[in-house]
Amino acid sequence: MKAVEVIDKLKCRFPNEPEYIQAVEEVLSTIEDVYNEHPEFERYNLIERLCIPDRVFTFRVSWVDDKGNVQNNMGYRVQHNNAIGPYKGGIRFHSSVNLSILKFLAFEQTFKNSLTTLAMGGGKGGSDFSPRGKSDMEVMRFCQAFITELWRHIGPDTDVPAGDIGVGGREVGYMYGMYKKMAREFTGTFTGKGLDFGGSLVRPEATGYGNVYFLLNMLATKGIDIKDKKVAISGSGNVATYTAKKLLELGAKVVSMSDSNGSIYVPEGINQEQLDYIFKLKNIYRGRIKEFAEEYDCQYFEGERPWQHAVCDIAMPSATQNELDGDDARALLANGCFAVSEGANMPSTPEAIKEFLTAKILYAPGKAANAGGVSVSGLEMAQNSQKLNWSAEEVDAKLKGIMAEIHKQCTIYGTEEDGFINYVKGANVAGFMKVARAMMAQGII
Ligand code: NDP
Ligand code: 2IT
């Protein structure tokens, strides 16, 4: 396999899907050598079968807003690969959602889920519907309309959706309710459910906590303590807020958070009361991060991300894809940043990744660092199958164990001659090998 040739062919076939091509390019460039050590992979044209999703569902979602107007959105589900388990991955509701973004996310999810050690294939879905500014009833009607189309394609052993940007506990609850009604069954077809109806303890916290656990594993390779380290986080949603919560617990200083309108900068680090305010602001009042700056009289950078102005030791991008570019990476490095651990999926552009790898800092790609969320989703599926609930301590201990195992796999496949751990290569090769072995064993299907 020549990675450039595969990519060129994909570009011709899918000319309007830049994020999908970007994600595939990143993986293929790092697995090319390992792939070519296995001529049997090439005989089975494994690479194309792994890059192109098994199937994609596209549908119209029609719903009625509070004024009585009929609204139409697009709905999608990408079932990418189920070689090692049922399709598994979140649902994203955001105005920017399109097929390219969901195909990149489903592709990434396949490798991420492989790394988790659990039996989950990769998928992703969503809509260009934005819950922001909508009433509860509008969100409910939209979720119900979305599921009346999607329900026939999902199931506890077929495809198990969960949350992502714009989809939290409220949206999962509404979607699960409608699914249950249509399918006439109460099974673990969604994860991230409420605790009263099959949800797992620690699932809301899992992505943020898991990212901090992964970071601790990385820091341990250099004997660095997290205490008093300055951390810049982007976003102020599910992943960002629980990342901040765990960091505060461990004595680190969270100096920045953001939303799509701008970022706050608190050089001395936000305190617990201020973090509680952000939780309420984002989850109850659904307000903007600017209101934090007004409440606590701190610096606010309208329309800017944290990377250029927040002086930090560690960066944890936790908002969205391509939110940290080459200039941002150079600014972070110039300010002394020595670790980047990605909460979001593909937040760093290829140019930024190159900067981090050239500088040989600790750099963890999302598919390794943010795998804690889907891992606890896997644990939720296991609890649902057994009709049992595990304690928070039990789930948290398993999460820590899984993140340590993912870190170990990255070091096995990513350690270079001089001892530098290339986590990008490590995660891609480890994730790929398991899926590849399973696909080979199952024949051409
Ligand atoms: P939320 O919807 O809870 O929060 C998203 C945050 O990112 C908000 O602060 C939002 O700001 C900001 N954001 C979203 N889109 C943009 C944009 N285009 N530009 C700037 N800021 C933006 O989502 P999550 O916290 O769940 O997800 C964040 C990231 O983590 C995503 O990349 C997701 O794929 C990834 N992830 C999530 C997991 C999970 O379990 N939830 C698991 C693994 C990864 P605003 O409010 O202004 O829109
Ligand atoms: O990107 C992700 O891993 C998620 N949004 C979580 C997926 C899941 O199924 O829990």
Side-chain angles (χ1 to χ4, degrees):
M1 175 269 278
K2 277 208 173 67
V4 278
E5 284 174 12
V6 180
I7 298 289
D8 281 348
K9 208 166 153 195
L10 288 175
K11 276 184 186 161
C12 287
R13 268 183 168 165
F14 309 108
N16 302 314
E17 300 184 359
E19 292 87 359
Y20 166 62
I21 299 292
Q22 182 185 334
V24 173
E25 208 157 8
E26 188 230 80
V27 170
L28 295 202
S29 63
T30 54
I31 65 166
E32 190 169 10
D33 293 348
V34 174
Y35 184 92
N36 288 330
E37 285 165 14
H38 295 267
E40 70 277 16
F41 288 173
E42 192 64 0
R43 277 201 300 280
Y44 276 62
N45 197 354
L46 192 83
I47 206 63
E48 263 187 24
R49 292 194 293 125
L50 182 55
C51 292
I52 300 173
D54 288 353
R55 66 192 67 78
V56 178
F57 301 107
T58 304
F59 47 95
R60 171 174 46 77
V61 186
S62 296
W63 56 285
V64 182
D65 69 18
D66 285 347
K67 294 191 183 116
N69 299 319
V70 178
Q71 302 284 349
N72 296 305
N73 287 98
M74 292 309 298
Y76 311 90
R77 183 75 181 166
V78 179
Q79 294 184 336
H80 190 86
N81 185 293
N82 66 350
I84 63 173
Y87 302 106
K88 178 85 195 86
I91 301 258
R92 178 177 291 193
F93 291 163
H94 192 270
S95 51
S96 63
V97 163
N98 58 37
L99 205 48
S100 172
I101 289 176
L102 295 179
K103 277 174 70 178
F104 114 65
L105 288 162
F107 176 81
E108 287 282 292
Q109 197 81 45
T110 300
F111 296 89
K112 183 194 307 190
N113 293 2
S114 167
L115 286 170
T116 64
T117 72
L118 306 172
M120 297 182 289
K124 201 86 184 190
S127 172
D128 57 2
F129 168 83
S130 170
R132 185 165 354 138
K134 306 289 191 304
S135 70
D136 267 3
M137 285 297 159
E138 287 177 323
V139 171
M140 183 182 78
R141 287 195 291 274
F142 174 79
C143 289
Q144 292 177 338
F146 182 83
I147 287 298
T148 49
E149 194 58 42
L150 187 63
W151 79 274
R152 71 192 82 243
H153 304 302
I154 60 179
D157 298 313
T158 312
D159 184 352
V160 183
D164 193 77
I165 292 177
V167 177
R170 175 182 63 169
E171 290 76 15
V172 167
Y174 292 149
M175 284 192 276
Y176 184 68
M178 198 60 181
Y179 172 79
K180 183 172 63 82
K181 186 179 167 92
M182 304 296 288
R184 299 183 301 127
E185 59 173 40
F186 196 111
T187 51
T189 294
F190 267 83
T191 60
K193 300 184 291 297
L195 290 179
D196 296 324
F197 53 98
S200 174
L201 284 160
V202 192
R203 177 62 189 89
E205 296 88 344
T207 313
Y209 281 18
N211 192 9
V212 176
Y213 297 155
F214 194 90
L215 173 70
L216 294 178
N217 278 281
M218 285 207 295
L219 294 179
T221 65
K222 302 255 179 213
I224 300 171
D225 190 351
I226 185 79
K227 195 162 183 311
D228 292 330
K229 295 294 172 298
K230 292 186 170 167
V231 187
I233 301 175
S234 61
S236 46
N238 170 273
V239 179
T241 47
Y242 284 109
T243 300
K245 187 171 177 209
K246 183 52 77 178
L247 287 170
L248 257 60
E249 221 178 280
L250 295 171
K253 294 186 193 322
V254 174
V255 297
S256 188
M257 291 186 80
S258 68
D259 62 20
S260 50
N261 292 111
S263 55
I264 52 162
Y265 182 36
V266 184
E268 67 281 9
I270 62 172
N271 61 33
Q272 189 58 53
E273 179 209 307
Q274 291 171 325
L275 182 59
D276 291 344
Y277 176 90
I278 294 178
F279 266 104
K280 267 198 224 126
L281 180 68
K282 287 293 170 180
N283 296 315
I284 299 173
Y285 308 119
R286 298 186 189 267
R288 313 305 304 151
I289 202 76
K290 189 180 184 174
E291 294 166 51
F292 176 96
E294 286 157 4
E295 178 78 16
Y296 292 102
D297 194 23
C298 76
Q299 293 181 68
Y300 174 71
F301 295 84
E302 179 74 26
E304 285 190 36
R305 305 174 289 211
W307 323 126
Q308 298 276 344
H309 54 77
V311 176
C312 63
D313 303 303
I314 298 163
M316 301 182 84
S318 307
T320 192
Q321 66 276 354
N322 292 328
E323 53 156 322
L324 197 165
D325 63 19
D327 287 340
D328 297 329
R330 285 184 283 278
L332 283 169
L333 292 169
N335 280 327
C337 174
F338 59 76
V340 178
S341 203
E342 296 182 342
N345 287 304
M346 205 168 75
S348 305
T349 63
E351 194 188 342
I353 296 174
K354 212 167 155 196
E355 292 288 345
F356 296 144
L357 293 178
T358 307
K360 299 206 170 194
I361 62 163
L362 298 169
Y363 166 61
K367 66 170 75 66
N370 74 34
V374 75
S375 298
V376 175
S377 278
L379 302 179
E380 182 172 329
M381 288 163 72
Q383 292 169 79
N384 291 166
S385 298
Q386 297 176 86
K387 303 209 163 22
L388 285 174
N389 297 313
W390 300 337
S391 69
E393 291 71 28
E394 219 173 330
V395 178
D396 194 41
K398 285 190 199 306
L399 172 62
K400 277 187 186 145
I402 290 170
M403 298 316 293
E405 179 56 33
I406 297 173
H407 183 270
K408 190 172 136 201
Q409 291 182 61
C410 290
T411 61
I412 292 172
Y413 290 100
T415 305
E416 296 182 350
E417 272 174 16
D418 62 358
F420 170 65
I421 304 167
N422 182 334
Y423 288 92
V424 179
K425 182 170 184 201
N428 287 342
V429 174
F432 163 73
M433 283 306 290
K434 182 172 173 185
V435 179
R437 283 194 302 269
M439 286 177 72
M440 289 300 292
Q442 292 168 29
I444 296 162
I445 47 172

Short mmCIF file of all heavy atoms in Angstrom, two decimals, residues 88-90 109 112 124 162-164 191 203 345 373-374 377, ligand 2:
data_model
loop_
_atom_site.label_atom_id
_atom_site.label_comp_id
_atom_site.label_asym_id
_atom_site.label_seq_id
_atom_site.Cartn_x
_atom_site.Cartn_y
_atom_site.Cartn_z
N LYS A 88 -20.46 1.64 17.40
CA LYS A 88 -20.60 2.40 18.65
C LYS A 88 -20.01 3.79 18.45
O LYS A 88 -18.89 3.93 17.96
CB LYS A 88 -19.83 1.68 19.78
CG LYS A 88 -19.87 2.43 21.10
CD LYS A 88 -21.12 2.11 21.88
CE LYS A 88 -21.40 3.05 23.02
NZ LYS A 88 -22.16 4.27 22.62
N GLY A 89 -20.75 4.80 18.84
CA GLY A 89 -20.22 6.16 18.73
C GLY A 89 -21.33 7.18 18.93
O GLY A 89 -22.52 6.84 18.86
N GLY A 90 -20.93 8.40 19.17
CA GLY A 90 -21.89 9.42 19.58
C GLY A 90 -22.73 9.99 18.46
O GLY A 90 -22.60 9.64 17.28
N GLN A 109 -13.36 6.90 15.43
CA GLN A 109 -13.99 6.11 16.49
C GLN A 109 -13.62 4.64 16.39
O GLN A 109 -13.45 3.94 17.39
CB GLN A 109 -15.52 6.28 16.39
CG GLN A 109 -16.28 5.85 17.64
CD GLN A 109 -16.28 6.92 18.72
OE1 GLN A 109 -16.49 8.08 18.44
NE2 GLN A 109 -16.02 6.53 19.95
N LYS A 112 -10.22 4.31 17.95
CA LYS A 112 -10.33 4.62 19.37
C LYS A 112 -10.96 3.44 20.12
O LYS A 112 -10.45 2.99 21.14
CB LYS A 112 -11.21 5.87 19.53
CG LYS A 112 -11.35 6.36 20.96
CD LYS A 112 -12.50 7.36 21.13
CE LYS A 112 -12.43 8.53 20.18
NZ LYS A 112 -13.41 9.60 20.53
N LYS A 124 -20.80 6.89 13.98
CA LYS A 124 -21.09 8.26 14.43
C LYS A 124 -22.32 8.76 13.69
O LYS A 124 -22.57 8.35 12.55
CB LYS A 124 -19.91 9.19 14.10
CG LYS A 124 -19.87 10.45 14.93
CD LYS A 124 -19.15 10.20 16.23
CE LYS A 124 -19.18 11.41 17.14
NZ LYS A 124 -18.28 11.22 18.29
N ALA A 162 -24.60 7.45 21.41
CA ALA A 162 -24.39 8.13 22.69
C ALA A 162 -24.34 9.63 22.41
O ALA A 162 -24.79 10.08 21.36
CB ALA A 162 -23.07 7.66 23.30
N GLY A 163 -23.80 10.42 23.35
CA GLY A 163 -23.72 11.87 23.17
C GLY A 163 -22.46 12.32 22.46
O GLY A 163 -21.53 11.54 22.24
N ASP A 164 -22.44 13.57 22.09
CA ASP A 164 -21.26 14.26 21.54
C ASP A 164 -21.63 15.75 21.59
O ASP A 164 -22.51 16.12 22.39
CB ASP A 164 -20.95 13.79 20.11
CG ASP A 164 -19.58 14.23 19.61
OD1 ASP A 164 -18.58 13.62 20.01
OD2 ASP A 164 -19.49 15.21 18.85
N THR A 191 -26.05 4.83 25.19
CA THR A 191 -25.30 5.03 26.43
C THR A 191 -25.28 6.52 26.74
O THR A 191 -25.57 7.34 25.87
CB THR A 191 -23.87 4.46 26.34
OG1 THR A 191 -23.18 5.13 25.29
CG2 THR A 191 -23.87 2.97 26.11
N ARG A 203 -20.29 8.01 33.75
CA ARG A 203 -20.28 8.26 32.30
C ARG A 203 -20.19 9.75 31.97
O ARG A 203 -19.40 10.12 31.11
CB ARG A 203 -21.50 7.60 31.60
CG ARG A 203 -21.57 7.92 30.07
CD ARG A 203 -20.36 7.39 29.33
NE ARG A 203 -20.24 7.82 27.94
CZ ARG A 203 -19.63 8.92 27.51
NH1 ARG A 203 -19.09 9.77 28.37
NH2 ARG A 203 -19.54 9.18 26.23
N ASN A 345 -12.04 15.55 19.39
CA ASN A 345 -11.61 14.69 18.29
C ASN A 345 -10.95 15.55 17.22
O ASN A 345 -11.55 16.50 16.73
CB ASN A 345 -12.83 13.97 17.69
CG ASN A 345 -13.33 12.86 18.61
OD1 ASN A 345 -12.58 11.97 18.99
ND2 ASN A 345 -14.60 12.93 19.01
N GLY A 373 -14.46 8.29 27.51
CA GLY A 373 -15.91 8.43 27.38
C GLY A 373 -16.53 7.18 26.78
O GLY A 373 -17.44 6.57 27.37
N VAL A 374 -16.01 6.77 25.64
CA VAL A 374 -16.60 5.58 25.00
C VAL A 374 -16.27 4.33 25.82
O VAL A 374 -17.04 3.36 25.81
CB VAL A 374 -16.15 5.46 23.53
CG1 VAL A 374 -14.73 4.98 23.39
CG2 VAL A 374 -17.10 4.55 22.76
N SER A 377 -18.89 4.10 28.22
CA SER A 377 -20.08 3.68 27.46
C SER A 377 -20.07 2.15 27.31
O SER A 377 -21.11 1.50 27.44
CB SER A 377 -20.07 4.31 26.06
OG SER A 377 -20.57 5.62 26.08
O1 2IT B 2 -16.17 10.78 20.43
C1 2IT B 2 -16.54 9.97 21.31
O2 2IT B 2 -15.83 9.03 21.68
C2 2IT B 2 -17.87 10.16 21.90
N1 2IT B 2 -18.54 11.13 21.58
C3 2IT B 2 -18.42 9.15 22.86
C4 2IT B 2 -18.98 7.98 22.12
C5 2IT B 2 -19.72 6.98 22.95
O3 2IT B 2 -20.29 6.07 22.33
O4 2IT B 2 -19.73 7.06 24.18
#
